[in-house]
Amino acid sequence: MSARLPSLWKRLSSTISPRPAPPKAHHHAPIPDAAFPSGYVLTGLHCGIKKTGALDLAVILSTTPKPASAAACFTRNAFKAAPVVVSEEVLQRNASTARALVVNSGCANAVTGKQGMEDAWAMVRATDALLGCSAKESETLVMSTGVIGQTLPISKVLAGIESQSSDSQTKSLGSDFTAWERAAKAFMTTDTFPKLRARTFSIDGREYKMAGMDKGAGMIHPDMGPPRTAGQLHATLLGCIMTDAAVSPRSLQSALTYAVDRSFNSISVDGDMSTNDTIVVLANGSAASDPAAEIDEERDPRTYQLFRDELTTFAADLAQLVVRDGEGATKFVTVSVNGAATYEDAHRIASRISTSALVKTALYGQDANWGRILAATGSVPLSVPIDPTRVSVSFIPTDGSPALPLLVNGEPETVDEARAKEIISVEDLEIEVQLGIGSENAKYWTCDFSYEYVRINGDYRS
Amino acid sequence: MSARLPSLWKRLSSTISPRPAPPKAHHHAPIPDAAFPSGYVLTGLHCGIKKTGALDLAVILSTTPKPASAAACFTRNAFKAAPVVVSEEVLQRNASTARALVVNSGCANAVTGKQGMEDAWAMVRATDALLGCSAKESETLVMSTGVIGQTLPISKVLAGIESQSSDSQTKSLGSDFTAWERAAKAFMTTDTFPKLRARTFSIDGREYKMAGMDKGAGMIHPDMGPPRTAGQLHATLLGCIMTDAAVSPRSLQSALTYAVDRSFNSISVDGDMSTNDTIVVLANGSAASDPAAEIDEERDPRTYQLFRDELTTFAADLAQLVVRDGEGATKFVTVSVNGAATYEDAHRIASRISTSALVKTALYGQDANWGRILAATGSVPLSVPIDPTRVSVSFIPTDGSPALPLLVNGEPETVDEARAKEIISVEDLEIEVQLGIGSENAKYWTCDFSYEYVRINGDYRS
């Protein structure tokens, strides 16, 4: 068998050579302190879960007198990790408000039975204790990511949280860029860069800020819903967004659900849904002392919609960072499905194309194989069936040069293969499928499937 | 960039080395002439589609005076290849009977517009002409497989078919093993061995024979239904089964639909559904001159069921050959999902596990990563939700040694990793998921995801 290996390597390298992932470090850069929302302190530290000594615990506190409005979307997987179950419970007990978020990486606390539940609650209580006497019980949300089926080294985790108490010498909570960056780093597992973004926006002349972080590189195909929908589970996509806007809890949840569908639920690295996927948003209202300024869908649908759209594009920015950092990814591909009868139909096709192993290996091989895109498009059951004679497929270059039609109204174009190769050899690419049935559109973001993906995931646990 | 390549190769090879696919030639072996059903002549020839000179055209004729009962399942893809549309039409015109089947490989005749339809009909007419004066018009079914979006070199194909006319010097139609083998070889595209099987079976003391062939190695995740259901399309899994049993057309279709769900619709290589997938069965009744011997579901449900079960296990044998030959596959894995509330629930979970990139790369890496199996299991929407505390996951060795429980009633077992590694390093493996909800079971067959898969499919068109 070993005698055959060299020839196999030779065969591998003689056809498509492994292309290294493009540089990714530039996706993380310093952000001015003033860009972050007020009323939050946070940190990231090494408590001892990761053997490498890397940061593995993030603590995020809202410092406003009133608890922040809190909303979350959790994985719909049936095997809920303990932190998912506990966070849902916390949101329910506190009528969708919270004051803190505690996050560990390196251990998912999933499929860990009763011990896992006790550990997640212990993390909540320890973080509650940092909030001072104004806090009620259980005002902390909790998230975990890492290996499934192992219990947390809970005493190390609790010691880490306690190191942030007000009388501690080792307290590192802060509100500047460094503090936000440390927290973002503590989210990381197989990520190659911390994922942190901030934005300032205005609604009716009032200025607000929003900042957020997330993590994820593999087991990325989230399908998250609001709390207490049927059958959620555990997840490897974690994210949180903090804003100083004042938003009613119900409207915050409704805006997040809308935003997550169009961001985190529209990305795929490998098509695998995790048992811990969680996105949390906190809105502490510290930007406005005027109570009338609270954004609420029923009171003022227009300002609500403006906020919802800000949250959606911000969430999409964060979600796309995960695809950029997809395990082994050398391409960042936007899949646009336009002209569908319903948003769900468009989303379903975009998801299928984005998870097709044949499409993704063709992208890695830089082969403009539109037949595979078409086969994936046609394999999805829809509410209104496809009319093949109306379907068009194009490559949209990301340098602003003209689109390259591959198929127009069901008929293959005579494709300029050199031009196609040119477009597909750039890191960023958009594939557009026009169905020609209706007016609904959906976007999905995906990456390619490389040798490196096989290496990383053939070898994860060791 | 090129400076980084050697270190990338080094990194690739330093962790999981590429394992070559196990030898596969032994899956094809001579079959005694007497094992094949009577009343069929067939051949395979090179008509000129494949540049390599390999066989690329199969002609199969039923020689009984009456046309054979004919049934088929076609891909549900929305982009139907021309041969799929034409075969559906032929079945309808002839009340589900047929006398011939013509198959080409090397060109899928898919997304080829009006020209493609004309070419498929021309293949039908040319094969009709081989049947002699007893034939009506359009008694031939047609299948194509190969590259999408290219038209057939139709004059070469027609010349190939005409070379089998009764007055031709080059006629090679026969009924012995060599003839069956040549036909099976003409089905092949990226297949590494011809896929041919025969079986003899008895129902109520009557002896029948059944033989069949199929092809496929990539774009394998069929979902085929009977003719005229909504939205079928084109496919890269092709198969045909010929029997000398007499079966009424309606019962033949109903038996095939049942069989295909439990065989060809239960395999996956890469999760991608083709636009040409077609399975055809012909039953010419040549084993019995007694008309009362016709198997019919309404007349005699018991003999119908015996026939249906023979067809199902035979179809499963053929389907499994496709997985064995999966592109880059080094493992053959049976996924059994037991104890579900419905067959559909069990089948859906088995399909999800079988297509999970994380499960398949772990299989390639020979890593007993049950967390990924569990995450895939939990990600499927079901009619009756999973109760995590009732779920068990085991590895079933294929050497008859005891099963290795990985998770029992939702709690992880302390796994003997050495034993797990031992089981998973064998080519054949069974993964069993027991849901503990109901009594319905489903099986799926899949393979692993290797470097070689990425190489083959990053490089297909060139």
Side-chain angles (χ1 to χ4, degrees):
Chain A
M1 197 150 156
S2 61
R4 294 183 59 186
L5 283 177
S7 73
L8 184 66
W9 273 121
K10 203 175 151 196
R11 191 142 56 92
L12 281 169
S13 52
S14 69
T15 48
I16 48 166
S17 308
R19 287 183 299 104
K24 294 178 177 177
H26 64 283
H27 294 299
H28 176 63
I31 297 171
D33 294 346
F36 292 101
S38 59
Y40 295 97
V41 292
L42 57 178
T43 192
L45 51 97
H46 172 67
C47 73
I49 303 171
K50 291 181 182 163
K51 286 170 193 154
T52 57
L55 303 187
D56 52 19
L57 182 69
V59 175
I60 301 172
L61 309 181
S62 169
T63 57
T64 49
K66 273 180 58 185
S69 295
C73 285
F74 300 105
T75 180
R76 293 193 167 98
N77 199 309
F79 297 90
K80 291 189 194 211
V84 170
V85 178
V86 167
S87 290
E88 280 199 273
E89 176 78 23
V90 166
L91 279 179
Q92 208 187 28
R93 281 197 201 174
N94 295 302
S96 298
T97 66
R99 288 178 192 269
L101 173 63
V102 62
V103 183
N104 77 272
S105 55
C107 172
N109 193 9
V111 199
T112 43
K114 281 178 201 162
Q115 185 61 49
M117 289 295 292
E118 279 170 27
D119 292 348
W121 279 117
M123 288 173 72
V124 168
R125 279 193 305 270
T127 313
D128 282 344
L130 304 180
L131 293 166
C133 50
S134 68
K136 293 186 300 177
E137 210 177 280
S138 310
E139 293 199 288
T140 299
L141 299 167
V142 56
M143 309 198 281
S144 300
T145 178
V147 180
I148 299 177
Q150 291 180 4
T151 52
L152 282 166
I154 189 64
S155 55
K156 291 179 184 174
V157 174
L158 297 182
I161 297 170
E162 282 151 18
S163 76
Q164 299 306 308
S165 66
S166 55
D167 53 356
S168 165
Q169 299 283 319
T170 52
K171 191 178 161 187
S172 56
L173 287 161
S175 57
D176 59 359
F177 168 69
T178 311
W180 284 84
E181 188 188 38
R182 286 179 69 85
K185 284 182 175 169
F187 274 58
M188 293 165 65
T189 54
T190 53
D191 305 65
T192 66
F193 60 88
K195 298 171 178 64
L196 175 65
R197 287 292 182 269
R199 123 169 1 177
T200 302
F201 60 102
S202 295
I203 296 178
D204 287 345
R206 276 197 183 88
E207 188 171 272
Y208 300 104
K209 297 199 175 72
M210 193 180 265
M213 58 194 74
D214 62 355
K215 64 80 50 181
M219 203 179 261
I220 298 295
H221 188 82
D223 181 23
M224 295 180 282
R228 301 286 148 192
T229 61
Q232 300 102 357
L233 182 69
H234 107 237
T236 302
L237 181 123
L238 298 185
C240 62
I241 298 172
M242 276 69 70
T243 177
D244 54 13
V247 188
S248 71
R250 207 159 90 175
S251 294
L252 190 64
Q253 183 63 57
S254 133
L256 182 66
T257 303
Y258 180 94
V260 164
D261 273 344
R262 285 152 182 83
S263 57
F264 298 103
N265 284 358
S266 295
I267 62 172
S268 190
V269 169
D270 47 21
D272 276 275
M273 187 203 292
S274 162
T275 54
N276 296 46
D277 294 327
T278 305
I279 301 294
V280 165
V281 56
L282 299 178
N284 67 6
S286 68
S289 51
D290 175 9
E294 189 182 71
I295 293 166
D296 184 81
E297 187 169 8
E298 284 183 18
R299 199 159 52 201
D300 186 350
R302 197 186 54 83
T303 54
Y304 164 76
Q305 229 173 77
L306 291 169
F307 173 77
R308 185 198 70 183
D309 293 347
E310 285 291 343
L311 186 67
T312 302
T313 56
F314 188 72
D317 283 354
L318 283 177
Q320 287 169 35
L321 288 177
V322 171
V323 177
R324 289 258 174 229
D325 207 11
E327 286 168 352
T330 75
K331 298 285 173 194
F332 176 84
V333 182
T334 304
V335 177
S336 299
V337 176
N338 300 330
T342 66
Y343 172 75
E344 289 67 32
D345 281 358
H347 194 260
R348 223 171 278 143
I349 292 175
S351 169
R352 183 75 270 278
I353 295 170
S354 299
T355 51
S356 158
L358 286 174
V359 171
K360 288 161 81 88
T361 46
L363 288 168
Y364 180 59
Q366 308 193 139
D367 177 13
N369 196 321
W370 57 264
R372 294 180 182 177
I373 297 169
L374 210 64
T377 300
S379 71
V380 182
L382 300 176
S383 66
V384 177
I386 283 174
D387 174 353
T389 66
R390 294 188 187 183
V391 176
S392 300
V393 178
S394 306
F395 279 175
I396 318 272
T398 47
D399 61 0
S401 61
L404 181 73
L406 302 169
L407 185 91
V408 176
N409 294 327
E411 299 277 343
E413 293 289 286
T414 308
V415 176
D416 176 350
E417 291 282 349
R419 173 73 183 129
K421 198 89 190 169
E422 201 175 82
I423 294 174
I424 207 173
S425 62
V426 174
E427 183 183 348
D428 284 30
L429 170 72
E430 181 173 350
I431 296 169
E432 193 207 22
V433 176
Q434 171 57 250
L435 299 179
I437 300 173
S439 58
E440 293 294 330
N441 308 327
K443 275 193 195 307
Y444 224 91
W445 296 277
T446 190
C447 55
D448 57 343
F449 234 150
S450 65
Y451 292 128
E452 183 70 1
Y453 179 85
V454 176
R455 188 194 65 79
I456 293 169
N457 288 296
D459 209 36
Y460 177 66
R461 293 198 318 172
S462 45
Chain B
M1 195 151 158
S2 62
R4 294 183 59 186
L5 282 177
S7 72
L8 183 67
W9 273 122
K10 202 173 152 198
R11 191 141 56 92
L12 282 168
S13 52
S14 69
T15 46
I16 48 165
S17 308
R19 286 183 300 104
K24 293 179 177 177
H26 65 282
H27 294 300
H28 176 63
I31 297 171
D33 293 345
F36 292 101
S38 59
Y40 295 96
V41 291
L42 58 176
T43 191
L45 51 97
H46 172 68
C47 73
I49 304 171
K50 291 183 185 163
K51 287 170 192 154
T52 57
L55 303 187
D56 53 19
L57 182 69
V59 175
I60 302 173
L61 309 180
S62 169
T63 58
T64 49
K66 273 180 59 186
S69 295
C73 286
F74 300 106
T75 180
R76 293 194 168 97
N77 198 310
F79 297 90
K80 291 187 194 211
V84 171
V85 178
V86 168
S87 290
E88 281 199 273
E89 176 76 24
V90 167
L91 280 178
Q92 208 187 27
R93 283 196 200 174
N94 295 302
S96 299
T97 65
R99 287 178 194 268
L101 173 63
V102 61
V103 183
N104 77 270
S105 54
C107 172
N109 193 9
V111 199
T112 44
K114 282 177 200 161
Q115 185 61 50
M117 289 294 292
E118 280 170 27
D119 292 348
W121 279 117
M123 287 173 71
V124 167
R125 280 192 305 269
T127 313
D128 282 344
L130 304 180
L131 292 165
C133 49
S134 67
K136 292 187 301 178
E137 212 177 280
S138 310
E139 293 198 288
T140 299
L141 299 167
V142 55
M143 309 199 280
S144 300
T145 178
V147 180
I148 298 178
Q150 292 180 2
T151 52
L152 281 166
I154 188 66
S155 55
K156 290 180 184 175
V157 174
L158 297 183
I161 297 170
E162 282 152 19
S163 76
Q164 299 307 308
S165 65
S166 55
D167 54 357
S168 167
Q169 300 282 319
T170 51
K171 191 178 161 187
S172 55
L173 286 162
S175 58
D176 59 0
F177 168 69
T178 310
W180 284 84
E181 187 187 40
R182 285 179 69 87
K185 283 182 175 167
F187 275 58
M188 293 166 66
T189 54
T190 54
D191 304 66
T192 67
F193 60 88
K195 298 171 177 64
L196 175 65
R197 288 290 183 270
R199 127 174 351 181
T200 302
F201 60 101
S202 295
I203 296 179
D204 287 346
R206 276 198 184 87
E207 188 170 276
Y208 299 104
K209 297 198 174 73
M210 193 180 267
M213 57 195 74
D214 62 358
K215 63 81 49 181
M219 202 178 263
I220 297 295
H221 187 82
D223 181 24
M224 295 179 281
R228 300 285 148 193
T229 61
Q232 301 101 358
L233 181 72
H234 107 235
T236 301
L237 181 124
L238 298 185
C240 62
I241 298 172
M242 276 70 69
T243 177
D244 54 13
V247 188
S248 71
R250 209 161 88 176
S251 293
L252 190 63
Q253 183 64 55
S254 134
L256 182 65
T257 304
Y258 180 94
V260 164
D261 274 343
R262 285 153 183 82
S263 57
F264 297 103
N265 285 358
S266 295
I267 61 170
S268 191
V269 169
D270 47 23
D272 276 276
M273 187 203 293
S274 163
T275 54
N276 296 47
D277 294 327
T278 305
I279 300 294
V280 165
V281 57
L282 298 179
N284 67 6
S286 69
S289 52
D290 175 9
E294 188 182 71
I295 293 166
D296 184 81
E297 186 171 7
E298 286 183 19
R299 199 161 52 204
D300 187 348
R302 196 184 56 82
T303 54
Y304 164 76
Q305 229 174 77
L306 291 170
F307 173 76
R308 184 198 70 183
D309 293 347
E310 286 291 345
L311 187 67
T312 302
T313 55
F314 188 70
D317 283 353
L318 283 177
Q320 288 169 35
L321 287 177
V322 172
V323 177
R324 288 259 174 229
D325 206 11
E327 287 169 350
T330 75
K331 299 285 173 193
F332 177 84
V333 182
T334 303
V335 177
S336 299
V337 176
N338 299 331
T342 66
Y343 172 74
E344 288 68 31
D345 281 357
H347 193 259
R348 223 171 278 143
I349 293 175
S351 170
R352 183 75 269 277
I353 295 170
S354 299
T355 52
S356 159
L358 286 175
V359 170
K360 287 161 80 87
T361 47
L363 288 168
Y364 180 59
Q366 307 193 139
D367 177 14
N369 196 321
W370 56 265
R372 295 180 181 177
I373 298 169
L374 211 64
T377 301
S379 70
V380 182
L382 300 177
S383 66
V384 177
I386 283 174
D387 175 352
T389 65
R390 293 188 187 183
V391 176
S392 301
V393 177
S394 306
F395 279 175
I396 318 272
T398 47
D399 60 1
S401 61
L404 181 72
L406 302 169
L407 185 90
V408 176
N409 294 326
E411 300 275 344
E413 292 289 287
T414 307
V415 176
D416 176 349
E417 292 281 348
R419 173 74 181 127
K421 197 89 190 167
E422 201 174 82
I423 294 173
I424 206 173
S425 64
V426 173
E427 183 183 347
D428 285 30
L429 169 72
E430 181 174 351
I431 296 169
E432 192 207 24
V433 176
Q434 170 57 251
L435 299 179
I437 300 173
S439 58
E440 293 294 329
N441 308 327
K443 274 192 196 309
Y444 225 91
W445 296 277
T446 190
C447 56
D448 57 344
F449 234 151
S450 65
Y451 292 128
E452 182 70 0
Y453 179 85
V454 176
R455 188 193 66 77
I456 293 169
N457 288 296
D459 209 38
Y460 176 66
R461 292 198 318 171
S462 46

